[in-house]
Structures are given as C-alpha cells and as structure tokens.
Amino acid sequence: MSRSTAEAVPALDERIRGEPLVAGGETLASVTETVCAIVEKPRPPRAWYVAFGISAMLAGLLFAMIGYLLIEGTGVWGINVPVGWGFDITNFVFWVGIGHAGTLISAILFLFRQKWRTSINRFAEAMTIFAVLCAGLFPAIHVGRAWVEYWMFPIPNNLSMWPNFRSPLLWDVFAVSTYMIVSLLFWYMGMIPDLATLRDRARTRIRRFFYGLFSLGWRGSNRQWHRYERAYLLLAALATPLVLSVHSVVSFDFAVSQVPGWHTTIFPPYFVAGAIFGGFAMVLLLIVPSREWFGLKNLITMRHLENMTKIVLATGSMVGYAYLIEIFIAWYSGNSLERFTFMNRALGPYAWAFWTMVSCNVILPQLFWFKRFRRSIPAILLVAIGVNIGMWFERYVIIVTSLSRDFLPSSWGHFTPTWVDLCTLLGSFGLFFTLFLLFLRFLPIVAIAEVKSVMPEAKLDRDVHHGQGDYHGDIPRQHERQFGGPETNR
Amino acid sequence: MNERGGYWRSLGELAGTPAFRLKLEREFAEGAVDAPGAFTRRRFLQLMGASVALAGFSGCRWPKEKIVPYAHRPEGWVPGEALRFATSGELRGCARGLLATSVDGRPIKIDGNENDPIGRGASSAIDQASVLDLYDPDRTRTPIWREGRSERSVVWGDFLAWTEDLVRDLRATRGARLAFLSEPTGSECVARLRRRLAAELPEALWFEYDPLSMDHAREGLRIAFGKPLRAHLDLASAAIVFSLDADLLDDDPAALLHARELAAARRIEEGRTNRLYVVESVPCTTGAKADHRLSLPPRAIAPFALAVLHELVFAHELEAPDRLREILRAREASDPPARAFAKALAEDLAANRGRSAIAAGYRQPPAAHAAAHLMNDLLGNIGRTVAYTADPDPERPNHFDAIRSLAKELEAGRVETLVVLGGNPAYDAPADLGFADLLARVPHAVHLSSHRNETSLLAEWQIPRAHFLESWDLSRAHDGTLLARQPLIEPLYGGRTDAELLAVFLDGRAAASGHDLAREAFGAFVSGEADFEKSWRRLLHDGVLGGSARPKVDVSFQAGPTADSLEQISHIKDHAGENGLEAVFLRDASVHDGRFANNAWLQETPDPMTKLTWDNAALVGPSTARALGVETEDVVRLSINGRAIEIAAYVLPGVAAGTIALPLGYGRTRAGRVGNGDGFDVYPLRASGAPYFAFGAAIERTGRRYPLAATEEHHLIDPRATRERERRVGSLVREVEADEYLRNPAKAMHAEEVHHPPLVSLFPPHSYDGHRWGMAIDLDACTGCNACVVACQAENNIPVVGKKQVRNQREMHWIRIDRSFRGDPDSPEIVHQPVACVHCENAPCEQVCPVAATVHTSEGLNAMVYNRCIGTRYCSNNCPYKVRRFNFFNYRKNLEPVEKMAMNPEVTVRSRGVMEKCTFCVQRIEAARIVAKNENRPLRDGEIVPACAASCPARAIVFGDLNDPESRVAKLHGEARAYGMLAELNVRPRTAYLARVRNRNERLAKREKEGHEPIHG
Amino acid sequence: MPSARRGVRAASGEGADPMDKEPASVRPVFPKSINFFRPVIGIALAAVPLYIVMLVYYGNSAEATRVGYEPDQPVAFSHALHAGRLGIDCRYCHTTVESASHAAIPPTETCMNCHANIRAASAKILPVRESHATGMPIEWVRVHDLPDFVYFDHSAHVRRGVGCISCHGRVDKMETVRQEKPLTMGWCLDCHRAPEAHLRPPELATKMDWVPNEDPFVLGKRLRDENHVNPSTDCTTCHR
C-alpha cells in the first residue's frame, strides 16, 4: 500500500498541481546553488553591466534635473494655470501603482496559499520598494517650496500651526509612507534566511560581515523559524489592507476634488485594479530578462509567467470595464460638464493619449486569452511594455485632460511638457532600474527557502491542510508519526 | 565682522580685533622671511577657523536691520503712513485730475480725483500704470549732447550755456529760424509762454502734432457750425445713443464720464434704460456694450449716416433744407441688414427727439462728424444731450497739416533750431513725410524726452523730461476745468517740464522754475493778491479750481457747408469696394500711440477685444480671413500703395468684411528694455493724406508663423470645444432682455438658470457674527476697459511675467476680464465679465490645501497666506474659477532698485513657489478696521473700497458687508438680476454678478437663442 | 523536522567552501567585529529620535527666537535712565505709537529738545549733535524684528490697553534695549486667544511699573468688555 501511494504521488501532482513549480530536476542543494551563484559570481553577465551603465546615467540625469528644478523653480516644467499638475503627479501615481504588485504577490497570494508565488515574490517585493521610492520622490519635488515641506507633518512648532487634515494630499503622505515602511519590513524579513545562507557561503570577509550583519544572526533554529513564520503571517495580514488602501487614498487626490473627470466614486477600486495591472506588467518586464541572464528558467518557469499573464488579463479587463463605466456614468448622470470632459478626452486635443491608453491597457492584453501568447516570451514582453506605457498614459489622461478644460472656457488651456519634464520621467526610470540591478547583483533574487518549501523534496506539498512555509506547533506532523505518514514510510 | 548678528558679538569681535589682524599680518610676514613657527601657524588657523565658522553661523541668523529716523522729521510726517496728494496727468492735451498715494516719499499708487469733472474719482488703465513710468529704469538720466556719432552725458548747466548765445541771437532775429514741435497740451504755463513767445519772438514757428489726432471731429464741427468747437455728450439724459464708429467708452477724452453716465442711465431696477446703437468696422468696448451693433467697413460708415438721415427726413418728416433733401433722397442703405438697422434706428431716434445723442469717431472723415451733428440738430438734441464749448486754440491748423508744413519748412532748410517738446515724431509721423531724415538734417534739434527714443537719437540735444509726478503745472481738463499738477517726488533724473524748457528759450539762465511758472499762471485765475495764497493752497488741496470749466456756447447750424461735405460722402460707395482690402489704423488700448511701449504693466494688460499681450497684430474678420486663407499667428506681407510691412494676423470676430485693422504703437526699436521689438510697426503704412483709413491694402501670406500671447484661446480650439463654449457662456455670463425683465424679473432670469441637484455640504456652515464681506459686479455697467486689472496690479505688487510666460498661461493678474462672443462670428454680440476670486463660502481650495495656507476667516474672506504656502498647486487645480495664480519662477529676480520703489509696502511681495490670488484688498480692510476701532466707531458702508472698485469708471464693482442689510452690496445681492457664477457647484460664491441687460429694439430681430437650453450641473 | 529547514541548513552546511569543516551551527553567526558595532548601532538608533526632539526643542528655544538679543547701538542711549529714573513717558519720543502702525523712532531733534542745554557737552551725545548739525540720521540697530510678511500695528494694541511691557518687557530697566519676548507666532496667538492677562486701562498702556490693584483676570475681563477687545486670530489680521 505504501508503494501504491508512493506511485500515486506524481499522478496526483499532475492532476492537482499541474506542471511542477520547479522544473529541470532541481534539487534542494541546486536551488541554493543557482540563486547564490548569481551573487557569488565574481562578475555578472555583460548585459547587466550595459543595463546598469545606462540606468545609472539616467539616474544621474534625474538628480541633475531635480537640482535644476530646485534652483529655478517649478516653472521649468510645462505646468501652468489651469494645468497645475503635469508629469510630476502623473509619474507619482504611475510609480505608486507599480509598487502594488509586490505586496499583492507576497501578501495576498500568500494568504490565498498560491504556491507559485514563491519564485517571484522576492522580485516583486524588491520592485515595490524601488517603485515606491521613485513615487515618493515626486510629491516631494513637485511643490513650489520644497524646503518647507516639513509643514506637511504634524510637528509641534512655535507657529502653533497644524497641517490641514482635510486634505487628501496629507492622507497621501501618511498612506504612502506607511506602505513604504511595511513593504520594506516585509521584504527584508523575508530575506533573512536567505541572507543567512549567503553569509554561510560567503568567502570574503566583507561579504561575511555584511551578510552577517543583515541576517541578524539567523541560525535556522526551530524557534527562529517559528517566530519567522508567525511574523511573516502577521505582516502579510497587515500588508494586505494596505495594498488596497494606498492606491485608494492616492485616488482620493482626484476623487475628493471637484474637477470634472476627477470627481467620481469609482476611482478607488479602479485605481487599485489599475495598479495591480501595471505592477504585474512591470514584474513580467523585469523577470523575463533576469531569468535569462541568471539562468533561473527552472525556478521561474513558464507556469509562473503564465499565471501572471492571467492576472494581467483579469486586471486589464477590470480596468477596461472601469473606463466604460466612467463614460457611461458621465452620460447617465446628465452632468454636461462630465459629459464634455469625456467627449473631450476621446476626441479632443488629447485624443492620441486617450487612445494610446485604451489600446495598450484594454486591447493589447486580450492576447492573453490564447495560451500561445501566454507562453511566448516576445508576446509577454510586448504586452508588459505596452501595459506600462498604457498605465502611464492613463494617469496622464486623467490629470491633464481634466484640468486643461474644466469649468470656465475662458481659462481653458493646454499642457506641453518641457525637456525637463521628459528628462525627469526618464530619470525616474533610471533610478528605478539602477536600484533594481543592484538588487539583482547583491541580494538573493529568489526566496530560496520558500521555493524549497514547494519542491517535492520538501514533502510539504502532500499535506493539503498546510500551505507552504507556515508552521503549526513545536513538534510538526506528530500525527504522521503516530498514524504513519510518508516520513515513516521511508 | 561687526556686521554679523549681534548674538555672536563677543566671538565676532574676537575674529575682528586688531590683534587678530596684526596676527594675520605677522603670520604672512614671518611666513615670508623664515619657516613659520608651529605656534603662530596653529593660532592663525584657529582664528581663521573661528571667523569662518562664525561666517557660517551668521548665515542662519537674522540679517541685522537698521532703523534710520529723520534727523529733522518734516511736520506731520508719520513714518510708514500713506499720504495722498491731488495732482494731474495728461494725455491728448486733456488733463485728468488724479490722487497720488505716497508712502515714505515714494508715490506708489494713482487714483482718480473725486473733483475731476471727467473721471469723478475713476481712472483709466493708463492712469493707473503711469506710476510705473516714473520708476522706469530706462528713463534718460542726464541731458545728452550729440556731436556726429559721439554722445556725451552732460549736465543741465551745459545746456544753459549752449542756449546763451542762441537766446541772444533769437532776441535779435525775433525768433527767426526757430521752430517748436509740441504735443497737444492743456498746460496753462505753456499757453502763457506761447503768448509771450508770439509777442517776443514773433518769427518763431509753433507746430502741434498728435499721431492719434482727433482733429477730424474738430473739422466736422467747423463745417457744421462754422467754428472749431469741442462737443460734449450728456449720456445720462440720452435715451438713445448712436455711435458712428466712436469708442465713446474707452478711446475718448471723456471716456470715463461716458462710461459712468451710460451705466447710471441703465439701472433697470430704477426703471431706467437706454439703448445704444453702434456702427463700427472694428469691435471696441463701446461696440461690446451696444444693444445693437452693426459691422460695416470704414468707407461705408459715413454713407450709413446719410442713410439714417434719409430715413429721418423722408420716413419721419424731419424738416431739412431742400438742398439736403436733394442730397439725401437717394441715400438709402444698399445692403438689407444695414437698411433694416437704419430704419429701426431712425424710428427710435425720431421717437425720442431731444433725448438722443449721436457721435462720430475721430477716425471718421469730417463729413461724417458734420452728418452726426446735423442729426443732433434735426432731432433737437443740441442744448439737451449735446453741448459745445469753444476750442482752446481756434487758429491752430490740424495736426496732420501742421506736421506736413513743418516737414516743408525742414525740407526747405528754413529751420535752424527745432525744439521738440515730448512726442516721438521720428517714429510716429506719417510715413510719406520721411520725417526722421528731415530731423537728422536740422542743424540744432532739441528733444525733451523721458527716454532716448527714435527721435532723441537724431537730435543734437536731449533733455530728460519730467514725469508728471515730478512736475509743477496747471493744466486744463477736457471741459476746460483747471487742474493743479504738483510733484510728489524730486525729479529722479533732473527732468524738466515743457514749460520749463520753453522758458529757457525766452529767458535763458533767468528762466523761472516750474513752481514759479505755475504760480504765475495761476495769477490769472484769482482776483487780487490778498487771497492768492489761500486759493493756491485750496487749489493744491482740491486739485481742481471749481467753476473754471469753459462756458457752453450756443451754435447755429451752417446748412451750406454741411451740404457740401455730405455731397462728397454721397459719392462714396458704401459696399466693399473692388480695390482690395481697406486698412484701419487703430489706437492701441495698451501702448496708445506707442508712448507707453516701455510700460510693462500696460504691455501685459490683455487688449479688451483680442486679449493679446505684448504684441499687436493685423486684425481681420473670420470670413475675410477664410477668403484670404489667413489664420491667427500667420505672418502676412501687407502692402498699401507701395509701402509694405510684415505683420502677424489675428482673426477677430466682428471685424467688418474686407477690413484689416492695424493697431499703432508697436515695433518700437528705441522704447527700452520692455518695449523694444514687441509687435510690429505699422506707421510705415500711414500717409498724412489718409491717416486713419487706407484703401487698396493687399495681403500675401509669407508661410511663416509668429507666436502671439493671448490670455484667452491660448491655443486653437477644436469645433466641439467651441460649441461647448457657446453653450456654457449663456449660464456664466447671463443676459436678460429689458422688456422681459420689466414684465417679470424672476422669469427673465430663469431662462439662464442651471438645473442642479439639491446642494448639500459635507461640512458645517460658517457662522458670521461680525462682518461678511462680499462683492457685486454689474455686468450691465462693465465696459471691459481694464482699469481694474491694472489698478489691482499696482495695489497688490503683482509681478509682470513676460510674453513667454503669458503664452504658457502663467499670467499673474488677480482680476481678469473674460470676453466672450455670441452668435454670428462676423457680427457677434460681445460681453465682458471681470473675474477675480469670488471668496467661496465652501471654498474648494481651502479643503485641499495640505498645510492650511488658504483658509476661511471669521469674516468670510478666503485668505491666502503666502508665508505658509508650500506650492502644491492643488488649490488652483480645484478652483472652478481658475483665479489662483502661481509664482512659477521668482519673477522679481531682475528688478532694478528703482523699480522696487513702486512696491506697495502694505502687501507682501510673494516669493517663488507661492500661490496668490485676489484678497478683496484685505490690507485696505484691515487699515480701515484699525482706524474705525481707534475712533471707537463701527465701519461705515463704502469706507472700504478695493483697488478695482476704486478705479472702475462705470462703478460696476461694489464691495461691502453682506451682514449689513443697508449696505449697497447687500442690496445688489438681493436684486433679481443677481446670480452666482457656477453656484450649482455649491461653492456659494461671495461675488454676485448682475445679469447684463439687452434693451433691444423689437424691430430688429432678437438674438437667436441657440446654445441656451438650461444647462445641467 | 520539515525538510525545508533542513534544506536551508544543508545548503549552508555544504557551502562550497572546502576550507570550513565545522558545521554551520557551531560557527559564530556574526563576525566578531559585530560586538563592537552593537553599541554603535544602538546609539545610532537612539540618536535619531533624540535629534528630532532636540531640533524641535531648539526651534522654540530662546536662542533660536533671539530672546536676549542685545546689539550695540550707535548712541549709548539708556532707557533705564530716561524712561526709568527720569520717568519720561514712552510717548514723548515714540510719538506715533497711538496713532500709527509704527512707533516711530524719534528724530534727532527730539533728543536735542533737551540736550541742546542738558549735558550738551557730553561726549556720549556727540553722535546726536553731529546728526543734528549735519542732518545725517543716526543708524539705530533694530532689536524687535518681525518678519516682513507680518503686519503689526502699534496703535491697534496700545489703544486697546495692551501695555508696552507685554511685548517689550521692562524697557525702563534696560541700559541697552534687549529682546525679552520670543515674538513667535505662537506667542502672539496666546495673547490673541486670551488677552485678559495683558489688558490694562488704555491710558496706562505706557506705564512700566503699573500693577493692577485687583485680580488681574477679573480686571482683564472687565476691560475686555469695556473696550470691546476681541482680537482676531484670522491669518489676515497679520498676514496680507
């Protein structure tokens, strides 16, 4: 009987689990090897250098632009009255959006016991951190007098003045910073066991020192694992509402104001869906080349990619639905101003932006209805890039078209970006990729321990009551010991 | 070292002590001779370190400020308090009584003088901006003497020295070969000196020239009544006003009075209405105010006058001499709309005999003016709504003849010394005279000019001209009232007035000062030495000599000459001629004839019609533009019999078909840093024969484009947006038909109502136990003259941003005047609507500011606290009126010290990155409040007047306390015509607009109602 | 033990480094140098919040608000002598204090009214005599210096019975004038919110040594009603 069950295993796998999450006969040891090797190699692939060079240059450009901005004033941008926000806030919302996939994958998918997340969550979380970093930059520099920004924070002062708690912009500050902190903790905590592994494998003193420093003395003892997984669970639970809250709050910047095209209740869900959509596209965009360069094809398999494409398709359709509803409500509400705003978006001077948005965000992802495309690297890259462009334009359309033609025709206007606007946008990508490439080079880019936990060798996947990674009680699986289980069968 | 913050005094001195310096010296000395000992070096470094560290520290200390009191404080002087003096400015030979506000010796603000017969306390945009001219850094700072190519800055004494022999010779030759070229002036001092001139130097020639001369009107009067006169309209008592291409409300010496009286006569609540007919070729503020407006090409306007006369004489049996009847018999207007217009108009006029006023514009030929006066005569208006006074200088030849004959004199070389008092003939004289070349040939030319302009360059001498705020003078208003001009500040650059310079040519070194000249001149107006001082003081106090207006003269109509002149018109074809386009030369609302080209405030003031800033452009009507294939911003080559220029085109609705309008005064090359190279110089197309109209203009496209900076339609608008504008404007700028309104006010207003869901607010309402400030703006009074815009700029230290920024929609004006067109683009109806912050009850801006930099005060002001603002611009995004203005750059970085003298110390100067907007002139509110409190009395209604309201000629803007039911503003808010713009958003604006009233003649088709179905919000 | 964990340790065990034979569990997890870093890190973590607290504190400290600022003046004029011992009323020199926003610094003439005869020869007043003779003003150093965007009106306060000392302290005891009060916005607001403590009969506003002969708060309340003192805390009251 034991034999028969033993044989039944792969069949069961095939039926229930679909193709394995780790391919190419990787063993526990080889997983460690593959992932750590990336960090331990004396030098990364040439592609990395090229990419890093370019992004570092762009990042430099960003800081040059910020310097210029702070010296000259926000006039160096194309903004004006009526269009008081241009690229600055567009970039902000765009990057915050990108920052969503990470926590979603690591927290929500974790709670939903989606095992396939293990190979990609580290990526996604890292991406989140860097994206939110870029995002945070823009509200900070978009103000006219950056040097008195601290007035935004409730610090006791001799003016006896407090910030205005009615302002969505203030809520933003809190929402985003909270999100940043939690994501950072989550990311770092998840990394601790792997950092320890790197520490133990480290050859040079420096590596041993730093990895030692950051692995906080992880030894992998039961108690540590116990605490670790409790904490992980807690953080996941804590992060989950944040995923929804951050972008909802960001959307309040618009929904709470009364500009036609902004003033609508659908924004929070619509923004969150859009954020996840864009975030996943970005994950795909990052993961596909990385798995090429660093030979992670076995850990990050087609199945992972395919799952993500499915999410992209789903969220993409939600976004599409939101577009339709917006337009429908604008018509149905009978509010002539709203009506005009949407007509103007689709047919006015910014029609090009609107249609770019629609084709990139709604039409392009429809490719993923077909398995062929879901599994074709070029198609995935194409859509991923398309969606990122589309999502940027979504924010551009919402912000600029609504502002440029609001209530009084006499003050209607037009926004034209300046070279500074464009360089700043480029630069923010530079910063993002620079940080991400550094991450690829110096940190475990795949959650080694977690991946192992979903490998057959881990023999955790058998027990349907247990998701991976989570842990119950000090003496695991005693019931198996008592009533016989795979372990005793050996 | 001691300049540093005293806090670190002791250490600072340590670093600054002689001992320290000694050490320094010894250090270097030692270092020079032998290896420095370790001790000295360390000590030296320590001390240096100390001083450097302190330098760093002192950086974050307060700057050390000095208080510099007078050694001998003038009597009654209070530091930092504003003083107001009566004085007067002058334009086109007519003085305007002004009230200048001065703080610590700096005049910073100009307002109208209540006693001024024309302004009656109001002022024009140009009056308001004149204070900036005083502080213009480009003003010439010394007399300049030119010899060949080399120019030398000299002193006044050198000039006097130069004049010595000259004056002697002139005495000998009785002024032979001496000529003066003056601008028109009402100065009594100059008049006196001229009389002396005529007596003592009879050979000397005197010419007077004004590029925007109004002498056609003068000629018309000479024809009609046999002698040159000045006409005065009494719009207050006129039921029907008919303007033949006359911009009565803006481009007229009595414009302020007209605007006020027209508005006063239209208060429909008091049952008063009047009807304004305007026939014109280029839309102007008067056309915008018209109840009925007809676009006709210039050449068709005089004939139209005949058409109206025809109707009056034949349809309405006004008795006229037979010869006139003959001329008028076949003079019906040829094209149908014009005929309908003429018939309806004639009917109205006939029905209101003695209660109508008819005027022709100064661009129109004398005959047109004669026709207008003929109508006034036939309708019995003379003595009722139209009055005449004697011309101040009857013998004077017309300006264009004068300049022509001066040119002849110069050509013949009969002038040795030419004295040009002000003006800029080298730039603005008719092109056919080639005046610049002639001027260059004059042996000795003296130019009195505030700037080194095109003319001064060619003169041997340039004498800096005093600004009126630096001068003594007596000058006459349009109606002849005597006004005082007294200086508020020592001439900054030793400027001289016309009179002072003139005196030099009579008395040389012995010439009297402006002050003495003024007192002499005043002597003629008071009887006896006894009360001279008293009345002189009184004059300086009031600024006006009561009862000194010129007496009205009775006139008798000269049928003969009038008939002759009408004969001439009757040959003109009134339909667009075959000989190409017809050009009209316009005075520009900002730079006038070009003299204000270097005034940044005026340059940035949007034109009332085109909304253009910093440029002029060739204005063409939509249909003409289509025919020519010309679009706004196209550069076209415009040629009129031989002479050609290149100029950007601007398509302006309402310009008559086949007409191209050319505003004068731009394309200056020597105006100064502000005015140089703005716009296009159209003077080269202007001939002395046809100064205002030119036939046979030809246009060809160059294919190039020129960026124009307009504050509306910043960019070309697509058809959908244009339709949307049309649809919205009805509810934003509301209008009622007079008759409907009189029948049922509420119903009449409802036509424009916006249907909206019930208005509920998330936040509890504010409660106001004290004051509740509010404003009311009467759209039926507003003429869109821009006075408020510039007044606000002057009062509130609003920066000038320049063309590039305006083009990028970053203009800073706190109050703007929205101009919208309705109906047929070729003859649209035009409305103006001033828009400033309306201080919403539920202000969207207040709610979104993260740092509470814009908040509601206990008196309902929507306060903007600059020093708290961090510049997120969220408030501006959320403001439905888009009245908030942002300092995208530090717009004051490049101001010269002298320019900063124009700043109002009562208003914070905003830094870069800060939002700003209309404050209801809160500084005036607080000042008045403190005065009232110190006097232990409540604030009186009308005690607080914001700058915009103070300047408004039509009294369209009223400010006050809404909690006081007796206040004017509260009453206006209560009127049926009052409405809140965008009130459907539940922002509850504090500014109520009073709907514009259109008092139509039912004979003329009503405005088609398209775009007026109720809007849902 | 679930093997995932064993896996981790296994991985670390077979760390491809042939040199280390000993099992991972025994090898010290941290390099020794960490022992030195621990306190450093500890201090750093403690220092950051401390720094913030200190910053906030410093912002309100007397030094930052320049309380005690006492610059040298071009003339050794002693308020202690004139206002104090001689008991000259503030308004004798600061004439406009009741009528205007500025309490004007007196012109040299005012000094000379007396010093033309009194101590005319004293070297101390040499600069004053110079100024009077040449007409060149004396350049006093400003002590009470509000930011330019603050509009303070003396008349509005003095006429309501806010005593000079409320903002300027006992000037009659100062040899050279010193800033006594912080003059911060919070400090202004304290009084604008509850003026009672600073009110006195208006005619006594300039009296330096005045002390109420009843409970100051009772008096303050009464005066507040009598003189309709209702100070506004709107931003526009001081910022325009």
Side-chain angles (χ1 to χ4, degrees), chain A residues 70-71 75 77 79-81 84-85 88 142 144-145 151 164 166-167 253 257-258 336 405-407 410 413, chain B residues 718 728 808-810 818 844 846-850 869-874 877-878 882 888-889 912 1016:
Chain A
L70 292 181
I71 292 164
W77 289 338
I79 47 174
N80 52 34
V81 178
W85 289 344
D88 44 8
H142 93 289
R145 301 201 294 168
W151 287 342
N164 173 14
R166 290 195 301 169
S167 167
D253 283 346
S257 83
Q258 61 168 0
S336 65
R405 288 183 176 177
D406 62 348
F407 296 93
S410 60
Chain B
D718 45 301
R728 283 188 200 179
N808 196 2
Q809 297 150 269
R810 292 172 178 178
D818 289 352
E846 289 167 9
Q847 198 245 323
V848 298
C849 175
C869 177
I870 66 174
T872 64
R873 302 182 296 284
Y874 198 175
N877 291 344
N878 209 24
K882 290 288 173 282
F888 287 95
F889 291 110
R912 181 244 289 181
H1016 299 263

Side-chain angles (χ1 to χ4, degrees), chain B residues 500-521:
Chain B
E500 283 169 321
L501 184 64
L502 194 47
V504 169
F505 286 87
L506 286 163
D507 306 331
R509 288 190 180 281
S513 74
H515 180 244
D516 300 344
L517 289 169
R519 285 172 64 91
E520 277 171 33

Side-chain angles (χ1 to χ4, degrees), chain B residues 523-540:
Chain B
F525 294 85
V526 285
S527 51
E529 283 305 306
D531 57 356
F532 180 89
E533 278 311 322
K534 208 160 118 286
S535 39
W536 172 252
R537 291 234 144 275
R538 173 142 212 76
L539 176 73
L540 294 186

Side-chain angles (χ1 to χ4, degrees), chain B residues 886-944:
Chain B
F886 190 65
N887 290 271
F888 287 95
F889 291 110
N890 177 0
Y891 292 119
R892 295 184 179 76
K893 208 162 38 182
N894 305 326
L895 283 192
E896 298 220 348
V898 66
E899 292 175 283
K900 292 178 180 157
M901 287 173 72
M903 295 281 181
N904 177 0
E906 287 306 304
V907 177
T908 307
V909 173
R910 281 78 61 186
S911 82
R912 181 244 289 181
V914 167
M915 190 63 70
E916 59 183 74
K917 68 162 189 73
C918 163
T919 62
F920 273 172
C921 282
V922 64
Q923 67 278 12
R924 294 189 176 199
I925 297 177
E926 294 302 330
R929 184 206 313 284
I930 288 170
V931 170
K933 272 189 169 178
N934 290 349
E935 293 168 7
N936 285 319
R937 59 168 176 80
L939 278 163
R940 286 186 294 266
D941 183 37
E943 195 172 355
I944 302 167

Side-chain angles (χ1 to χ4, degrees), chain B residues 715-763:
Chain B
H715 54 293
L716 298 175
I717 284 191
D718 45 301
R720 179 171 307 89
T722 318
R723 280 201 303 280
E724 182 69 9
R725 279 180 88 103
E726 281 270 318
R727 201 180 59 74
R728 283 188 200 179
V729 75
S731 70
L732 299 174
V733 193
R734 300 191 187 168
E735 286 192 0
V736 291
E737 304 288 334
D739 47 4
E740 286 178 23
Y741 184 86
L742 289 169
R743 253 182 271 113
N744 180 345
K747 191 160 159 301
M749 282 302 289
H750 186 76
E752 309 288 14
E753 268 305 318
V754 177
H755 299 200
H756 56 72
L759 303 175
V760 286
S761 173
L762 188 61
F763 301 108

Side-chain angles (χ1 to χ4, degrees), chain B residues 568-592:
Chain B
Q568 296 158 16
I569 319 176
S570 61
H571 302 316
I572 307 173
K573 299 196 173 36
D574 68 347
H575 53 79
E578 48 293 323
N579 47 4
L581 292 166
E582 184 171 5
V584 192
F585 295 97
L586 302 178
R587 150 259 190 201
D588 183 86
S590 292
V591 303
H592 196 65

